[in-house]
Amino acid sequence: MASDPQRGQRGTNGTHGSSGSSGASDQTGPPEERKPQPDEAHSAFTPPLGVPYPPLPEDEHPTSEFALPAGLRPEATSEQEGSAFAPPSGTTGQTPLPAGATAMSLAFTPPHGIPAVRLTKEAPWQDRMRTMLRMPVGERPVPERFERHDEEAGPAVPRVLDLTLRIGEILLAGGEGAEDVEAAMFGVAYAYGLERVEPTVTFTLLSISYQPSLVDDPVTASRTVRRRGVDYTRLSAVFRLVDEITSEGITLEEAYRGLAEIRRNRHPYPSWALTVASGLLSGAASMLVGGGLLVFLAAAVGSMLGDRLAWLASGRGLPEFYQFVVAAMPPAAVGVAFGLAHANVQASAVITGGLFALIPGRALVAGVHDGLTGYYITAAARLLEVGYLIVGIVVGVLTVLYIGLQLNPGLKRLNPEEAFRLYNEPLVQTIAAMLLALAFCVLLQQERHTVAFATINGGVAWAVYGALAVTARVNPVPATAIAAGLVGLFGQLLSRYRYASALPYVTAAIGPLLPGSATYFGLLNFAQGSMQQGFASLIQAVSLALAIAVGVNLGAAVARLFLRAPGLLEAGAGRRAAKRTRGF
C-alpha cells in the first residue's frame, strides 16, 4: 500500500532528505545488511532507485500563466461602436499609468485614468454637480475636498443627510426644477465626504441614499414637502449657501447656522405690497389688450379684491383649487358690472387683466422643464397641478360670466375679438409689459438687485413678440416660443454670471407672454354656448402656454450648449447626458 503523499513529499524535500539518500545507498549493500525501509521510501512521489533527484527550481515564486511577458503592454480594451463612454477619436490609450495603478487595472480604468474634479469656484455649482450626477457611481471621480474634520472620525452621515434634505426641501418648495434640486443635494453630500450618494426627487418626496462601500448596508433618509410657497429671495440665499458649501468649504456647523438664518428671515415685501403688486399686474395686463386708464383702475381693483379673498380662503385652510376659484371671481364680476352698466369701458380687458395674474405660468414652465430633463414623474405631477389650477380659474370666471349673460344676453362689450385685433401701440404695450414684469417680481418676493434685470427682460420679450407677430405676421405660437427662448437664454446667462438660480430672471419676464386673452375668449364662448369656438380658443391658449415653457427651456439648453463643461481635467472630456434609445 502506498503511504501518505504529503509525508513522502516532506521526506523528499524536507528534513528526511538525508535519510532518503542513505536509504538509497543501503539498497546496494548485502541483503543481510539491509535495514527495513520506512513508509516514506515507498511514496509515489519518491524517485525510483538509481534516479537522481530533480534540481530545485531557482525561483520559488513562479509567475502566473496569465501574466504578460516582460516588455509587452496589455492590449487596449475595445469599446462598442457608438458608446457614450468611448474615448475621443485620435487618442491611443498608451498613457502613463495613474499613481497606484497596475497593468491589470487598466481594464477597469478609463484610457486617460480617473478624471479629477475640482470643487472650486471655477464654474456654477449646478454645472459641476450635473456633470457628476450623469456619471455612473463607479466612475465618479474623487473630488478635492477641504479638510473639515478629523479623517479618522469620518463624516457625520446622519447630519449631512439631514442638511442635504432640508436644503432640497427649500429649493423644491420654492419652485426649483427637479434637476437643480438633485444637483444641489448631491453637491452638499459630496462636499462633506459622502461619495456614493444617490438623491431622488419626486415632486413632494425627497430621498437620499448613501452606501459607504460595496459591502456595507446603505443608509437612506427621506423628507416630505407638505407646504410650498414662492420666495425667490430665500431661493437665492439657498443657492449661495450651496455654492459656499461646494466651493469654499464651510463646516457643517456653519452650514446649519446659515440654513437657520435663511429660515428665520422674513419675506422682503409685506402682504399689502403683494396685494398692490397684484393690482398693478392686472392693470398693466389690461393695457396690453387695449385698456385705458379707467380699465387699468378697474382691473387693479378687481384683482386686489380677488387677492384678499384668496388670502382669506388660505387662512381658513381651503385647498389651493378653491383659492383660485374665489380669486378669479372679483375681476370677472367687475368686468360684467361695467358691461351691465353700459359704461364706456372695455369690460373684456378688465377680465383679461385679472386672468394674467392667475395663470400658473411658473408651475407650467417648471413642469415642462422636468419633462424635458427626464424627470417624468415630477413633470406629470406638476402638469396635473397646473391643470387643476386652470380648472379652478375656469370655474370662477365661467360662473360669473354665465350669471352676467343670464341677466343681459346682449353684453357686447364682453366680446374682446375686435378690440384685440385692432389695438397696436408698441410704446404703450412695451411699458405695460415692463410694469407687468415688475409686479411679478414683487409677487415672487425677488431680491431687489434682480428686479431691474427681470423687468428689462420682460420688455425685450414683448418687443420681440410684437415685432414677429404684428410686424412680420408670424403665427403667434412660434413668435411666443422665440420670445420665450430669448428670455430663457438671457436668464441662464445672468444666472451663471451671478452664480444664482435662473428663476428670478425668467419667471417674471414671461408674464407679458401669458395667454390671458385666448383663455378669456374661450371661456366667454363656453358661457355663450359656442362650444366649438371655445375649444379652439382654449387649444390656442394651451399651445401658447406650451410654447412659452418649451421656449424658456430651449433657451436655457442653448446657453448650456455653448458653455464649457466645468471641472473635468481630462483632455477631450465632455458633459454626459442621457443617451437616446434608438427605438429599442
Side-chain angles (χ1 to χ4, degrees):
M1 176 183 293
S3 62
D4 187 4
Q6 296 181 358
R7 296 176 58 189
Q9 185 70 20
R10 289 195 301 270
T12 302
N13 299 328
T15 59
H16 298 281
S18 60
S19 63
S21 174
S22 62
S25 62
D26 291 343
Q27 295 294 333
T28 59
E32 61 275 3
E33 296 181 1
R34 295 178 182 175
K35 299 178 181 180
Q37 303 297 320
D39 293 339
E40 286 81 354
H42 301 284
S43 172
F45 299 95
T46 304
L49 296 176
V51 178
Y53 283 90
L56 296 175
E58 296 181 359
D59 189 4
E60 293 293 341
H61 303 283
T63 59
S64 170
E65 63 183 53
F66 300 101
L68 295 175
L72 294 183
R73 298 182 64 88
E75 296 182 0
T77 56
S78 60
E79 295 282 351
Q80 296 183 359
E81 184 178 0
S83 174
F85 304 99
S89 59
T91 57
T92 60
Q94 297 185 6
T95 57
L97 294 178
T102 61
M104 294 303 295
S105 66
L106 286 180
F108 308 96
T109 306
H112 298 284
I114 297 295
V117 171
R118 290 182 178 178
L119 294 180
T120 56
K121 201 167 185 179
E122 298 175 350
W125 61 263
Q126 301 97 306
D127 284 350
R128 288 179 273 144
M129 294 304 111
R130 290 193 195 103
T131 303
M132 303 277 288
L133 272 174
R134 288 165 182 164
M135 290 183 178
V137 177
E139 297 184 9
R140 288 174 182 167
V142 179
E144 297 179 0
R145 292 190 297 271
F146 297 90
E147 297 296 333
R148 300 184 182 87
H149 47 261
D150 187 7
E151 293 184 357
E152 297 181 358
V157 176
R159 298 198 68 195
V160 172
L161 296 182
D162 178 71
L163 175 68
T164 302
L165 290 173
R166 290 179 183 275
I167 289 177
E169 178 189 9
I170 295 178
L171 292 176
L172 187 62
E176 192 63 65
E179 184 183 27
D180 285 336
V181 175
E182 280 198 2
M185 295 173 63
F186 178 81
V188 172
Y190 210 78
Y192 287 113
L194 307 187
E195 299 176 5
R196 305 178 63 88
V197 292
E198 287 297 337
T200 305
V201 178
T202 53
F203 190 51
T204 59
L205 179 64
L206 298 170
S207 64
I208 186 169
S209 178
Y210 166 65
Q211 190 174 14
S213 66
L214 293 175
V215 297
D216 293 328
D217 295 332
V219 180
T220 303
S222 62
R223 194 173 185 90
T224 303
V225 180
R226 302 191 182 278
R227 294 189 61 184
R228 283 170 293 165
V230 181
D231 190 344
Y232 281 0
T233 298
R234 179 176 295 181
L235 194 69
S236 300
V238 174
F239 265 68
R240 287 192 295 269
L241 177 62
V242 174
D243 185 66
E244 292 175 357
I245 292 173
T246 58
S247 301
E248 301 179 8
I250 65 174
T251 63
L252 192 62
E253 295 299 331
E254 292 173 342
Y256 262 109
R257 192 178 304 114
L259 185 62
E261 292 177 358
I262 292 173
R263 288 182 173 275
R264 284 196 299 265
N265 287 342
R266 299 179 61 86
H267 298 303
Y269 306 105
S271 59
W272 65 265
L274 300 181
T275 301
V276 174
S278 178
L280 177 63
L281 190 155
S282 296
S286 66
M287 294 176 62
L288 286 177
V289 294
L293 179 60
L294 186 57
V295 172
F296 179 94
L297 296 176
V301 171
S303 183
M304 288 190 290
L305 289 176
D307 182 77
R308 287 292 90 191
L309 286 177
W311 277 97
L312 179 61
S314 175
R316 298 293 182 180
L318 292 179
E320 199 171 10
F321 174 84
Y322 298 105
Q323 297 176 27
F324 271 78
V325 172
V326 298
M329 286 184 173
V334 172
V336 170
F338 276 110
L340 293 175
H342 298 283
N344 190 18
V345 175
Q346 189 179 341
S348 58
V350 177
I351 303 176
T352 303
L355 290 176
F356 268 87
L358 296 176
I359 295 177
R362 175 181 58 88
L364 177 64
V365 171
V368 174
H369 173 75
D370 290 340
L372 293 177
T373 52
Y375 298 86
Y376 301 115
I377 297 178
T378 307
R382 288 187 189 272
L383 294 178
L384 184 61
E385 179 191 30
V386 171
Y388 271 104
L389 298 182
I390 291 178
V391 170
I393 298 172
V394 169
V395 170
V397 175
L398 204 58
T399 301
V400 176
L401 289 179
Y402 182 78
I403 295 174
L405 292 174
Q406 292 298 319
L407 296 176
N408 186 359
L411 285 176
K412 299 297 182 182
R413 293 192 178 275
L414 291 180
N415 190 352
E417 186 177 9
E418 183 178 356
F420 292 162
R421 186 181 304 166
L422 297 178
Y423 188 71
N424 182 23
E425 293 291 338
L427 181 60
V428 175
Q429 290 176 308
T430 303
I431 295 176
M434 296 180 69
L435 287 176
L436 193 152
L438 175 63
F440 255 125
C441 291
V442 177
L443 289 175
L444 295 174
Q445 301 278 4
Q446 292 188 194
E447 293 179 306
R448 288 176 173 81
H449 69 269
T450 65
V451 172
F453 293 102
T455 302
I456 296 174
N457 205 4
V460 172
W462 179 262
V464 172
Y465 170 78
L468 292 174
V470 179
T471 305
R473 303 291 182 180
V474 179
N475 187 276
V477 175
T480 301
I482 294 173
L486 291 177
V487 170
L489 177 62
F490 293 157
Q492 199 67 227
L493 294 177
L494 286 172
S495 69
R496 275 161 171 72
Y497 174 73
R498 294 183 172 272
Y499 294 90
S501 172
L503 291 181
Y505 305 103
V506 171
T507 306
I510 65 173
L513 303 176
L514 293 176
S517 58
T519 304
Y520 166 68
F521 193 38
L523 298 181
L524 181 63
N525 281 307
F526 281 142
Q528 293 176 342
S530 302
M531 305 300 292
Q532 184 175 0
Q533 296 179 1
F535 276 115
S537 297
L538 288 183
I539 290 175
Q540 183 183 10
V542 172
S543 302
L544 292 173
L546 292 178
I548 293 172
V550 173
V552 167
N553 290 279
L554 182 60
V558 170
R560 294 182 191 176
L561 184 64
F562 293 102
L563 291 175
R564 177 177 173 269
L568 289 180
L569 302 180
E570 179 184 357
R575 183 185 290 113
R576 293 182 178 180
K579 189 177 179 182
R580 69 185 183 94
T581 59
R582 301 180 185 271
F584 300 145

